Amino acid sequence: MRASRNNSSAYVWQPGQGPDASALERLRERAPMPGQPMGEAWFMGDERHMFTTLMHEDPQQWPRSELSSALYELSSGPVAFGPMREWNLWFPYLLPRALELVGRFRANAFEDRRLYSMLVTATFVHCPDPEQVSPGLRRDLLDTLGRAMLAPSHWSACGLAGDAFCSPVQRLPGVHPGDSLYPADAFSASCTLIAKYLQPELIGDWLTSALAIDDPYWRAGWVAWLAGAAPMLLDGAYPDALPLKDEHSIVWEGSHLLQAPSALVVPGLAPASFLGSGSRHALVSALRKQLNRERLQRWDARLAEAGAQRSDFDYFVLEYRNAARFVLGRYRLD
């Protein structure tokens, strides 16, 4: 097996640098196809559905509905019933192969958002403690699943493609007739993945690179994500505590499954946190060094300029300004 990239080397986000091919190959090599099909976690009666269609060696032949159902089952099953060997075998097998399906067909942005988000949820369920993940595997997850948003097919000289599965610009029926600033789903899942698995000492450079990407809609998405992620980043909340319907919602497919472990309250013992204290401190500390009112105002002007010719764009700018105002106060950036 080829050696993985140095786990402690700098980690940055750069458009065009998507999932690393060598890291994907290592993930595939670590997990050959299990000998038996995976079964569902939730069923009534004597007959348990088995995901036999996923035994096909070509992932493009997997029915999307079967793949989505299997990912939900191997994520919700361990939460409700504890680990099972078949789920532990099928998760690492499906991960790299399903990831290669994301973004393959641009018309499936909605399905890709769901698929990617469920892959992130499954990773959190099966690898809940980053410190217990081997350094090589941890870096390979960051270099593959963590870079899906940066794949060349989602970017152009103008910035993030409008139909990219990870775009924070979405049409939300029943909310507003125009575009909404909505970093939930894939965008949020991806940012949360890095915040959890990247070593604290590398978070500052990653944040610098992410905020330096010169795209007004991407930056607006980041500000909205920071607003919605405040309970996780500042208070240590678990994703299941994030509000589903909120001005700054950042929930993603399956995030409700990620719950704080049940435990007796012990006086003097800090409650469990989804993101490690070192990671939270590093991210917030870096944020306070890099983001301030002046920079947010520059982004505001650039966003308004970019959308000047678009109809119904005032609502989008208003959402950005509300998020920016919230972030300034909640993170004490001034």
Side-chain angles (χ1 to χ4, degrees):
M1 184 179 296
R2 291 179 294 277
S4 62
R5 188 178 304 177
N6 187 347
N7 191 52
S8 61
S9 60
Y11 184 85
V12 297
W13 270 1
Q14 183 175 330
Q17 292 187 356
D20 181 78
S22 296
L24 268 173
E25 182 60 26
R26 284 192 294 272
L27 291 178
R28 285 193 294 266
E29 290 177 350
R30 285 189 184 101
M33 181 187 292
Q36 300 295 327
M38 189 192 92
E40 64 181 338
W42 306 86
F43 65 99
M44 299 290 288
D46 298 326
E47 188 172 346
R48 184 188 186 200
H49 176 70
M50 307 301 289
F51 296 96
T52 55
T53 58
L54 302 184
M55 297 291 289
H56 200 293
E57 292 185 355
D58 181 5
Q60 294 190 63
Q61 302 303 316
W62 296 346
R64 276 293 184 99
S65 59
E66 281 283 276
L67 177 57
S68 295
S69 295
L71 289 171
Y72 181 80
E73 297 296 303
L74 63 77
S75 298
S76 61
V79 173
F81 309 116
M84 285 184 63
R85 186 171 184 273
E86 65 185 80
W87 298 330
N88 293 339
L89 290 174
W90 274 90
F91 161 67
Y93 171 73
L94 292 177
L95 175 63
R97 295 162 178 87
L99 180 58
E100 292 184 315
L101 299 175
V102 175
R104 186 177 293 271
F105 305 107
R106 296 296 291 275
N108 288 343
F110 174 75
E111 288 299 321
D112 284 347
R113 281 196 293 271
R114 294 185 61 212
L115 174 56
Y116 178 84
S117 298
M118 206 65 228
L119 287 173
V120 173
T121 294
T123 301
F124 288 148
V125 169
H126 286 265
C127 307
D129 184 356
E131 297 303 319
Q132 298 299 316
V133 179
S134 68
L137 175 56
R138 184 172 174 179
R139 185 58 185 240
D140 283 347
L141 288 172
L142 293 168
D143 285 340
T144 55
L145 192 61
R147 294 189 186 277
M149 290 204 299
L150 289 304
S153 59
H154 305 315
W155 295 82
S156 68
C158 298
L160 183 63
D163 59 351
F165 80 97
C166 52
S167 176
V169 183
Q170 296 189 40
R171 290 290 176 99
L172 304 175
V175 175
H176 189 264
D179 290 331
S180 291
L181 177 56
Y182 190 68
D185 301 324
F187 188 97
S188 174
S190 186
C191 293
T192 306
L193 180 86
I194 309 303
K196 185 171 180 68
Y197 290 106
L198 189 61
Q199 294 94 323
E201 64 270 19
L202 302 182
I203 283 179
D205 287 341
W206 164 65
L207 184 66
T208 298
S209 70
L211 299 185
I213 294 175
D214 190 16
D215 178 277
Y217 304 108
W218 167 271
R219 288 170 168 170
W222 255 92
V223 174
W225 179 74
L226 288 169
M232 284 194 303
L233 299 180
L234 296 173
D235 308 325
Y238 270 68
D240 76 307
L242 298 172
L244 178 61
K245 295 182 179 180
D246 185 76
E247 184 180 11
H248 311 302
S249 177
I250 63 161
V251 298
W252 63 89
E253 191 79 12
S255 61
H256 65 284
L257 300 172
L258 306 170
Q259 306 166 3
S262 299
L264 295 174
V265 177
V266 179
L269 183 65
S273 170
F274 181 70
L275 300 177
S277 59
S279 297
R280 291 193 290 118
H281 175 78
L283 203 156
V284 173
S285 177
L287 186 66
R288 287 171 178 162
K289 294 176 182 177
Q290 299 181 39
L291 201 57
N292 53 34
R293 185 181 300 274
E294 180 183 357
R295 194 175 188 187
L296 288 170
Q297 288 175 341
R298 290 201 305 270
W299 290 357
D300 184 308
R302 176 76 187 283
L303 182 65
E305 179 183 353
Q309 304 304 317
R310 301 176 60 178
S311 60
D312 297 322
F313 196 68
D314 289 346
Y315 181 73
F316 190 94
V317 175
L318 176 63
E319 288 180 304
Y320 168 81
R321 290 172 179 169
N322 289 341
R325 189 179 305 111
F326 180 88
V327 166
L328 279 170
R330 188 73 163 87
Y331 290 88
R332 295 186 285 111
L333 300 185
D334 277 349

